[in-house]
Amino acid sequence: MSAATPAPSTPDVTSPSGTNVATSETANGVNKAILDYLRDKGYKGAEKEFLTALETQPEASTSTSSTSSTISAEDLVKALSVYAQKANRPGENAFKDAASVLQELASMGNPATIQNLISSIDAVGAEEILSLDPTDKQEGFRELEAWVDGSLDMYRPEFRPIIFPIFCHFYLDLIQHGFKEAALKFYAEFSPSLAPTHAPTLHHLSTLLLPLHVQNDELAQRFRNEKYTVRMSRSGFGLLVGWLTEGVGGEPMGSGEGFSGKRGKRGRAAVLRVVNNHLRFDVTSSTTTSVSENAWEESTGLLTSVIPQASGSSSFTNAQSFNASKGELKLGMPAMSEELRTETDRALRDQALVERDPGVHDDLKILYNRPTQETGGVPQSELPPYPPSFRTMDIKREVEKVRDARKRIRLERTEVRTTQGVVKNQPLPSICAYTLHDVGEGVPCCTFSQDTSLMAAGFSESYIRLWSLKGEKLKGYRSDFNASSIRDMSSLKKIREKGGSTTRKLIGHSGPVYSVSFDPTSGSAAPPRYLLSSSADATARLWSLDTMTNVVAYRGHQNPVWDVQWGPMGIYFATASRDRTARLWSTDRTSTLRVYAGHLSDVDCVRFHPNSIYLATGSSDWTARLWDVQRGSCVRVFIGHQGIVSTLAFSPNGRYLATAGEDLAINLWDLGSGKRIKKMTGHTASVYSLAFSEESSMLVSGGADWTVRCWDIAAAGGPQSKVKENGVLTNGNTANGVNGDAPTTNGKEEESIETSDLLATFPTKRTPITNVQFTPRNLCLVAGSYLNPEQR
Amino acid sequence: MNKQGQKARAAPSPVTGVFKPDTIRDVADSLNVTSLSDTVASALASDVEYRIHQVVEEAARFMRHARRTTMTTSDIDQALRVLNIEPLYGHSSHNPPTFRRAPPIPQSTSGAIYFVEDEEIDFDRVLREEKITLPNGPRWAAHWLAVEGVQPLIPENPPAIPKDSDPDALAKPSSPSRPGQMFPLTPPSDRPSPVQAAKKQQQQQQTVKQVLSRELQLYYTRLTSALLPPSASDYAKRTAALASLRNDAGLQALLPYLVRWVGEGVVGALKSGAQSENDGRVLEVLLDVIGALLDNPTLFVEPYLHQLLPPILSTLLHSSLPPSHAVHLRTSAAQILSHLLTQYSTTYPSLPPRIMKTLLLALISPEKSRSTREGAIRGLIGIGKEAVRKGLVEGGGAKVVGSECMPGEEGGLAEAVTDALKVLHPPSAQPVPLDDANEPDAATIQQLKDTVGDFFAERLWGDAVWARAVLTGDSKS
């Protein structure tokens, strides 16, 4: 068996897709060729047997129909291999060199089918094709899995991640070499065990069925051309190498034939080939025990292309070293200019005098607690250029900001020391839900103005609808007026439209509207004057809420614009698009100011850091990045999601970034270090929107599972402890005893995807929550469109 | 679509994916390409599948960004557009085409065929049909999803799931999709599980009970314990209780419970045979309670009449009341009935005829016991003169009763009939008997015999005026 192993592989080569039917003529030709071959080589016995076989065959074929006279190429080569094996016994192995066999076959002037076959084999390399027995991979992979499962508990989390890339490469190899059936069998056999963690990639790979697909598919090419990074401790790596070379290591008891056999060796060789060619081991000196359960997410994958590479200098193999190389970030709040502060101070005092408000001292305290350049505030010069002077509206906004800060609902956790001990009090937010009804094809986006006077929703039917939440009529200015007649406010009022209703339709886009954003310059002091929207028609549009018309269409993206977001101080805005870039614009220019390129797939969402120096983007390449707005360079990369990053949010204090992905997890990142603080799970469907409370102490998320959830930022997170799950905090044992029936415990275990930092879950009836946001006074507003049960 | 594909792949059996080479060959046939080799067909099938997956993967992005969990035809359209392929026109997501499956034809080898149903629209009919009103435009409604972390129990919010509820009810809304899901599950359906429904019902029952204040509940128990079981010593207590029922205001909330209590009490007493003294006393008390309830001016009894009448009529017409109380019980039941009718016949005009029908049936129909007939007569007296005439004279009730009475019998049934006849016309102080010899008198006697029967005719003979009045009323009507 051992010497002839290459031969059985040839039948599969000849029939990558079905069986080739040869005519009876060609069959005769082949027979002749074989006879010649055997005669040349002097295999007497084989020749005799073959002849007798040939003699019996025509009899059968003539007696029955003509179909049986055809002989498939597969049968032919099978027969050939049988004789070759038999020939082994008397003489030395004629097939010791696979290439020579092929050469000989080619030289013998075979029928066209064989010729074609041989030429196709030549293209790939005969040695390789003959060594790539599909059963090899099955064996090799099974052994790898068995080895990983049989390894010590402390190493298993380390070894698990290497299974997946090897699976992918085996599958791609099989497809690339045309073993479609074998590939599908391989997939069906081994993918279920990997599905829980790698479903999207697995599914994508399963759609590749032909060699052509592998050559053209982006993900497949990334697997082929990039190294898949796996982090491993030194001792773990040593064990892996030991197994690959010697076959030593944790074989579970009674798993059948050992690894020491020839087949085991071949399987290991296949694994070794992938390991050599396509894997990079990030060997750390850290001990294996310190690796947490989800840590692999951050350090495993096709990282080289996801991490931006600095030109010329050394390349980074992991996100941490890249983030560290980018140095410190300026995460402080922008310093308030002295003039603005004085004016705000005056305005506050004036108002307090009029209203006889005794709280003015608190107001002033809040005002003067705002960072200045000396106390860590970011000076104006560091920010993107803003107009040097301020306007009345700015003072109004600042005054309102101070008031909001004083009147805000506190959502921080407070600890009261009593005689019994420390009593922790975790306040929960009040949430007002705005449910849209009768929306037709759907509402992809919805947002509230900061002063909560307006709500805007973008529709799939390409229009935007504006509602006044205060019941006021939305009136634009008429267009038929004489400019010279406008002198003061009262004459301006006269040219307002008459009548009107509390809702208004803004028409201009020619594709579904995916994002809307209100201009933040007036803050909570006055209704916003501008609205931005982005759409599938590859434009972003600026709408004036004075005239209720479209003012500018910003063209530049080549593809649908998924998201648009104002800068925290107006003037600038950013867009994210399917064309893999995010762009920076200013409202007064129709051309792009900056292009942020580097993501490998769609940029799905974009948000500004509260100090407007940075910009975060989330992408379909499963990463989020932080960009320097002015330089246009990437300063942080956040790797850890196992799915598309669908939305993100900055904490108002500027220190954290929360991202939510299609892996149903919400990750919290520390911007300064670029490290993941924790992973929050609990949602059972996509998360659509995230928002931090004003104190940055709480995160609220809303999603397609019709729930709004509140998360504690300060808590450590992690899986829920049993005691809390049962809802009894005082005595876990008795609670377990009471609920200890088998079905109950099962249900609880399934529930345990909720991490312990989930403060509360508020279900709605049937409303997927598309937007959550906090007002400056910490009231939570959520919006979504009611999902009619009659709709499919 | 994706999920399906994944599932199909996860199963070990299918070798190729969704698209079979047969499908390709069918398409080729439709394009007049007949000589398509197997290899080409299977390669094409694989490729078509890959391309479709490409489009679907692209469409999934549009679906995600449109914040939907179901893919629509518009997503596919958008995907085709960005892939630089001409979109498929004519599919709108407003009106998704419904595919129908035609079962495979037995002879042919092809499988089931799916086709788009193309409904024929008759314009005449459409135009004739009433105009369809335009739906409202999009609108919003706001509600509190949570107030300081507590979800208010308002109709806009889903019903709260009790914390200690069974695991399957709990698992349903929060069942985590397996993390391996390519696309998130559609959210859980909000149909309440049967367990939840049952729970709800339970809750509702509880709430009804809780409508009664503690004070009223206490009053109710005190009242019923004072009234029953009746013992001689508690006489004072009982009268106090009845007086309270007769006069106190604010008992409306208790009324349904009292009515039910009375009904059950009467049924219980009559069922047990109603021969003992005690049962008689119980019935007496219960009748008193009904009387008291009807007397109370602050109570609104009308909605409960249908529940009150059965106990009254049962007492009145029951065949075997305890002998010591029988007459008294029937009389008081008849009185209550008369009281009830005078009070409610104006607002409830169909009430007297219905009750009379019941009584007449009891009076005339054969195989009724004498005591039932007696009760019926007393009831008729209670209803009034007209009813008595209808029942005894016109309906022939007196005749029926007379035939059952022994000649010369007094008391009981006979007395009741006499009483009833007295209601029609009081007997004269100096009765002048009818003269047998007198021609008109003889005719009257004959008439009397015909209408009320021999037994009572004899009694009426004695008083000519009375007898004539009984008859004239009859002739008048």
Side-chain angles (χ1 to χ4, degrees):
Chain A
M1 181 75 201
S2 64
T5 25
S9 75
T10 32
D12 294 284
V13 179
T14 58
S15 57
S17 46
T19 53
N20 293 330
V21 181
T23 62
S24 59
E25 280 175 21
T26 52
N28 287 335
V30 171
N31 290 338
K32 192 170 173 294
I34 292 165
L35 276 174
D36 289 342
Y37 174 74
L38 293 172
R39 204 165 289 141
D40 282 359
K41 287 284 165 182
Y43 296 140
K44 292 270 163 54
E47 187 190 350
K48 205 186 284 170
E49 274 201 50
F50 190 57
L51 272 172
T52 48
L54 276 180
E55 271 158 20
T56 50
Q57 203 182 34
E59 281 167 24
S61 64
T62 45
S63 61
T64 56
S65 69
S66 63
T67 46
S68 64
S69 69
T70 64
I71 173 169
S72 76
E74 192 178 311
D75 291 347
L76 153 75
V77 189
K78 238 178 225 161
L80 183 69
S81 72
V82 168
Y83 288 105
Q85 256 182 351
K86 286 191 175 169
N88 274 341
R89 262 181 276 138
E92 87 278 31
N93 185 7
F95 284 171
K96 65 180 179 230
D97 187 0
S100 72
V101 176
L102 284 168
Q103 230 159 36
E104 277 178 12
L105 276 173
S107 64
M108 282 184 297
N110 280 322
T113 43
I114 303 277
Q115 288 288 9
N116 286 343
L117 167 69
I118 290 163
S119 63
S120 77
I121 290 170
D122 280 336
V124 191
E127 178 63 45
E128 196 183 350
I129 204 85
L130 287 176
S131 63
L132 279 175
D133 178 4
T135 55
D136 255 23
K137 301 200 188 301
Q138 296 258 11
E139 283 301 316
F141 194 75
R142 186 172 296 124
E143 280 166 25
L144 177 69
E145 262 195 329
W147 177 71
V148 169
D149 285 340
S151 60
L152 290 176
D153 280 354
M154 62 183 292
Y155 290 116
R156 208 173 297 145
E158 265 184 56
F159 292 151
R160 276 236 147 262
I162 69 165
I163 293 185
F164 178 66
I166 289 172
F167 172 89
C168 294
H169 278 287
F170 276 5
Y171 180 83
L172 290 175
D173 282 344
L174 289 173
I175 289 289
Q176 181 138 39
H177 296 130
F179 302 116
K180 185 175 139 199
E181 306 299 324
L184 289 173
K185 198 165 149 248
F186 179 70
Y187 185 91
E189 188 168 351
F190 297 112
S191 67
S193 67
L194 294 165
T197 38
H198 300 285
T201 320
L202 283 177
H203 177 256
H204 185 90
L205 288 180
S206 76
T207 65
L208 308 175
L209 295 170
L210 296 178
L212 184 71
H213 300 160
V214 176
Q215 275 154 34
N216 293 335
D217 188 76
E218 202 174 329
L219 184 71
Q221 282 310 303
R222 277 182 68 193
F223 264 106
R224 279 278 180 257
N225 301 333
E226 290 172 27
K227 298 258 181 183
Y228 191 100
T229 313
V230 178
R231 174 169 289 197
M232 209 171 263
S233 70
R234 201 171 295 282
S235 50
F237 185 62
L239 285 172
L240 179 68
V241 170
W243 178 76
L244 284 172
T245 51
E246 305 294 327
V248 288
E251 171 196 358
M253 292 304 287
S255 70
E257 47 193 320
F259 297 141
S260 48
K262 290 285 181 194
R263 288 172 72 200
K265 200 170 177 187
R266 291 190 56 81
R268 282 203 313 280
V271 175
L272 184 63
R273 216 174 359 256
V274 173
V275 168
N276 277 338
N277 293 338
H278 302 294
L279 257 59
R280 188 215 318 275
F281 289 92
D282 190 1
V283 179
T284 59
S285 50
S286 67
T287 54
T288 47
T289 43
S290 65
V291 180
S292 72
E293 194 192 338
N294 290 323
W296 63 272
E297 290 179 352
E298 290 157 66
S299 53
T300 306
L302 298 164
L303 298 184
T304 32
S305 58
V306 175
I307 298 167
Q309 298 302 326
S311 55
S313 67
S314 62
S315 61
F316 303 105
T317 54
N318 63 30
Q320 283 321 318
S321 56
F322 170 78
N323 289 343
S325 75
K326 286 293 171 183
E328 298 261 306
L329 297 181
K330 302 180 204 74
L331 297 177
M333 291 301 116
M336 202 174 179
S337 76
E338 208 47 55
E339 295 85 4
L340 184 57
R341 188 190 295 260
T342 345
E343 283 301 318
T344 311
D345 183 325
R346 186 178 300 154
L348 275 170
R349 282 173 200 276
D350 286 355
Q351 257 183 15
L353 263 179
V354 175
E355 291 165 17
R356 297 175 180 281
D357 184 359
V360 68
H361 295 294
D362 297 333
D363 283 349
L364 294 176
K365 213 187 280 172
I366 292 167
L367 178 64
Y368 284 100
N369 269 341
R370 299 267 290 278
T372 57
Q373 209 156 332
E374 292 79 46
T375 58
V378 178
Q380 288 285 334
S381 56
E382 302 271 354
L383 305 181
Y386 283 101
S389 57
F390 55 87
R391 293 170 300 166
T392 331
M393 183 47 80
D394 293 320
I395 299 166
K396 274 191 189 164
R397 183 190 64 222
E398 292 303 325
V399 166
E400 206 55 40
K401 217 187 241 176
V402 168
R403 299 228 149 169
D404 287 338
R406 177 155 67 91
K407 297 190 172 170
R408 169 177 305 162
I409 307 163
R410 308 281 157 200
L411 289 178
E412 293 143 315
R413 180 154 52 173
T414 51
E415 291 182 4
V416 183
R417 283 183 194 283
T418 61
T419 47
Q420 279 85 29
V422 181
V423 177
K424 280 179 186 167
N425 178 25
Q426 174 66 59
L428 286 167
S430 297
I431 304 173
C432 189
Y434 286 79
T435 313
L436 297 171
H437 297 272
D438 299 335
V439 292
E441 277 185 59
V443 183
C445 60
C446 193
T447 190
F448 300 94
S449 67
Q450 272 193 38
D451 67 335
T452 60
S453 64
L454 289 172
M455 173 166 75
F459 284 74
S460 284
E461 288 99 334
S462 309
Y463 67 90
I464 298 157
R465 196 173 266 282
L466 211 60
W467 281 280
S468 163
L469 298 183
K470 293 186 168 164
E472 289 159 0
K473 294 211 161 78
L474 295 173
K475 296 178 185 176
Y477 288 112
R478 294 201 310 266
S479 51
D480 54 335
F481 63 91
N482 190 357
S484 59
S485 69
I486 312 292
R487 282 191 191 81
D488 51 1
M489 279 296 279
S490 60
S491 59
L492 200 62
K493 246 175 214 161
K494 272 184 201 148
I495 62 159
R496 285 241 177 226
E497 287 170 335
K498 300 211 166 45
S501 75
T502 57
T503 173
R504 193 82 192 221
K505 214 167 167 179
L506 305 178
I507 301 172
H509 280 295
S510 60
V513 182
Y514 289 124
S515 178
V516 283
S517 177
F518 278 112
D519 152 40
T521 35
S522 52
S524 54
R529 292 183 59 205
Y530 295 100
L531 175 75
L532 276 169
S533 64
S534 75
S535 154
D537 62 6
T539 63
R541 282 172 194 265
L542 181 74
W543 306 81
S544 162
L545 302 184
D546 291 326
T547 59
M548 297 288 173
T549 52
N550 185 200
V551 189
V552 196
Y554 300 96
R555 295 171 204 277
H557 282 295
Q558 304 297 313
N559 271 309
V561 185
W562 296 134
D563 199 7
V564 63
Q565 177 78 17
W566 279 97
M569 283 158 248
I571 300 175
Y572 299 102
F573 68 93
T575 54
S577 165
R578 189 188 167 275
D579 65 9
R580 305 183 178 190
T581 63
R583 289 174 193 234
L584 181 77
W585 312 74
S586 77
T587 46
D588 53 357
R589 277 160 216 240
T590 53
S591 58
T592 309
L593 298 180
R594 297 281 186 279
V595 177
Y596 306 98
H599 276 298
L600 298 180
S601 189
D602 304 19
V603 184
D604 290 299
C605 47
V606 62
R607 291 288 179 277
F608 270 97
H609 188 273
N611 67 13
S612 81
I613 298 177
Y614 302 105
L615 187 76
T617 54
S619 163
S620 292
D621 65 7
W622 302 6
T623 65
R625 287 180 184 220
L626 189 73
W627 306 84
D628 187 305
V629 166
Q630 279 179 283
R631 293 196 186 84
S633 62
C634 180
V635 289
R636 290 284 184 273
V637 58
F638 305 102
I639 296 170
H641 273 294
Q642 295 300 304
I644 292 162
V645 180
S646 54
T647 184
L648 33 80
F650 278 103
S651 69
N653 65 10
R655 288 172 53 203
Y656 306 121
L657 175 71
T659 58
E662 289 294 313
D663 55 354
L664 311 185
I666 300 168
N667 283 341
L668 188 71
W669 308 89
D670 178 46
L671 289 177
S673 65
K675 283 186 183 139
R676 177 157 73 174
I677 298 170
K678 59 178 176 173
K679 178 178 176 181
M680 298 174 268
T681 54
H683 272 286
T684 57
S686 313
V687 184
Y688 287 153
S689 185
L690 294 171
F692 276 93
S693 71
E694 287 293 318
E695 298 108 331
S696 310
S697 61
M698 184 185 289
L699 181 72
V700 172
S701 62
D705 56 359
W706 311 342
T707 60
V708 177
R709 290 171 199 255
C710 303
W711 309 87
D712 189 355
I713 291 302
Q720 259 180 3
S721 60
K722 269 280 173 240
V723 182
K724 209 195 163 194
E725 256 177 54
N726 283 325
V728 183
L729 288 159
T730 46
N731 199 336
N733 284 335
T734 53
N736 273 330
V738 171
N739 300 349
D741 319 322
T744 325
T745 41
N746 279 345
K748 297 288 182 193
E749 267 162 32
E750 224 185 312
E751 236 181 298
S752 63
I753 61 154
E754 287 179 6
T755 47
S756 59
D757 44 6
L758 176 61
L759 288 174
T761 303
F762 303 109
T764 65
K765 264 192 171 162
R766 295 183 63 90
T767 312
I769 305 298
T770 51
N771 180 53
V772 298
Q773 68 188 71
F774 274 98
T775 65
R777 295 190 182 181
N778 261 349
L779 176 70
C780 185
L781 303 177
V782 305
S785 61
Y786 181 73
L787 204 65
N788 213 327
E790 280 109 70
Q791 282 172 350
R792 293 160 309 134
Chain B
M1 174 101 196
N2 271 283
K3 252 158 72 181
Q4 271 173 11
Q6 210 174 348
K7 220 177 262 169
R9 193 148 317 280
S13 51
V15 229
T16 46
V18 183
F19 281 87
K20 304 267 177 295
D22 286 349
T23 321
I24 300 297
R25 221 168 284 128
D26 287 345
V27 174
D29 279 348
S30 72
L31 295 171
N32 269 338
V33 181
T34 47
S35 58
L36 196 70
S37 76
D38 276 344
T39 30
V40 173
S42 83
L44 264 178
S46 300
D47 198 49
V48 165
E49 193 176 333
Y50 172 65
R51 302 292 161 200
I52 284 178
H53 273 297
Q54 260 187 333
V55 173
V56 168
E57 251 171 47
E58 199 59 54
R61 299 179 188 204
F62 284 93
M63 176 192 80
R64 247 194 327 271
H65 281 283
R67 305 304 194 207
R68 271 185 276 105
T69 42
T70 39
M71 195 175 287
T72 64
T73 46
S74 60
D75 294 329
I76 300 279
D77 265 4
Q78 294 278 357
L80 290 173
R81 246 178 254 272
V82 296
L83 290 173
N84 236 341
I85 306 168
E86 188 161 352
L88 302 162
Y89 296 105
H91 301 280
S92 79
S93 43
H94 285 301
N95 190 14
T98 46
F99 283 88
R100 299 227 4 217
R101 176 178 179 274
I105 309 155
Q107 291 93 323
S108 79
T109 52
S110 64
I113 294 169
Y114 294 86
F115 61 93
V116 183
E117 188 158 35
D118 201 357
E119 201 191 344
E120 264 184 37
I121 296 171
D122 180 9
F123 276 114
D124 277 349
R125 197 174 50 80
V126 171
L127 290 173
R128 254 186 287 114
E129 267 177 9
E130 57 187 308
K131 288 184 182 63
I132 303 154
T133 48
L134 274 175
N136 290 331
R139 67 208 146 74
W140 57 270
H143 73 272
W144 288 104
L145 189 64
V147 177
E148 295 189 346
V150 180
Q151 191 158 25
L153 285 173
I154 48 175
E156 287 88 344
N157 284 329
I161 306 152
K163 276 266 181 270
D164 57 338
S165 77
D166 48 309
D168 71 342
L170 214 147
K172 219 180 171 193
S174 59
S175 71
S177 75
R178 288 156 298 289
Q181 210 76 37
M182 167 76 171
F183 293 105
L185 290 169
T186 35
S189 76
D190 63 344
R191 269 183 297 112
S193 67
V195 190
Q196 272 177 318
K199 205 156 258 170
K200 222 181 204 172
Q201 225 166 30
Q202 231 174 33
Q203 275 177 345
Q204 268 170 356
Q205 273 175 2
Q206 279 168 358
T207 51
V208 168
K209 216 162 215 174
Q210 277 157 359
V211 167
L212 273 189
S213 65
R214 278 180 64 89
E215 289 82 351
L216 275 179
Q217 285 180 35
L218 200 67
Y219 174 82
Y220 177 76
T221 43
R222 284 287 184 80
L223 185 84
T224 48
S225 63
L227 291 167
L228 286 180
S231 57
S233 60
D234 281 341
Y235 184 72
K237 241 184 189 174
R238 198 154 60 234
T239 33
L242 287 173
S244 158
L245 270 184
R246 195 169 285 122
N247 298 316
D248 281 0
L251 301 181
Q252 185 67 41
L254 271 184
L255 191 57
Y257 297 92
L258 284 170
V259 166
R260 199 165 149 212
W261 177 72
V262 167
E264 276 166 7
V266 168
V267 167
L270 293 178
K271 229 185 195 165
S272 64
Q275 289 305 319
S276 65
E277 285 288 302
N278 193 40
D279 282 340
R281 275 205 296 276
V282 168
L283 286 173
E284 224 174 287
V285 170
L286 292 174
L287 281 178
D288 284 348
V289 170
I290 297 177
L293 288 176
L294 288 170
D295 278 348
N296 193 328
T298 61
L299 284 181
F300 182 54
V301 186
E302 204 179 323
Y304 300 98
L305 283 182
H306 66 282
Q307 275 179 294
L308 273 179
L309 279 170
I312 298 173
L313 289 175
S314 303
T315 321
L316 191 64
L317 301 177
H318 199 266
S319 54
S320 55
L321 288 175
S324 53
H325 291 81
V327 177
H328 178 70
L329 279 175
R330 291 193 208 281
T331 334
S332 53
Q335 270 164 8
I336 289 168
L337 192 65
S338 104
H339 180 68
L340 189 148
L341 285 176
T342 44
Q343 226 171 343
Y344 293 109
S345 57
T346 44
T347 52
Y348 202 163
S350 68
L351 191 60
R354 275 164 62 185
I355 289 174
M356 224 170 83
K357 203 174 155 194
T358 319
L359 293 176
L360 278 179
L361 220 63
L363 180 62
I364 296 163
S365 58
E367 295 150 16
K368 292 280 181 192
S369 70
R370 290 160 59 101
S371 40
T372 303
R373 297 206 200 283
E374 192 196 337
I377 292 164
R378 294 209 183 277
L380 285 177
I381 297 171
I383 294 176
K385 215 170 165 177
E386 213 46 51
V388 172
R389 189 185 299 286
K390 268 233 171 84
L392 284 181
V393 184
E394 257 179 77
K399 217 173 175 176
V400 174
V401 173
S403 66
E404 278 176 20
C405 285
M406 294 288 123
E409 193 188 319
E410 281 299 325
L413 191 52
E415 201 192 335
V417 176
T418 322
D419 284 352
L421 293 176
K422 278 177 188 165
V423 170
L424 287 180
H425 191 273
S428 37
Q430 288 103 32
V432 181
L434 285 169
D435 193 355
D436 210 356
N438 196 347
E439 181 64 28
D441 280 4
T444 315
I445 289 168
Q446 194 52 47
Q447 217 178 337
L448 267 179
K449 279 183 176 171
D450 284 346
T451 47
V452 299
D454 290 355
F455 184 78
F456 288 106
E458 255 173 52
R459 296 189 173 210
L460 291 172
W461 271 340
D463 193 336
V465 183
W466 191 18
R468 283 215 183 80
V470 170
L471 285 178
T472 47
D474 167 39
S475 62
K476 230 186 264 168
S477 64

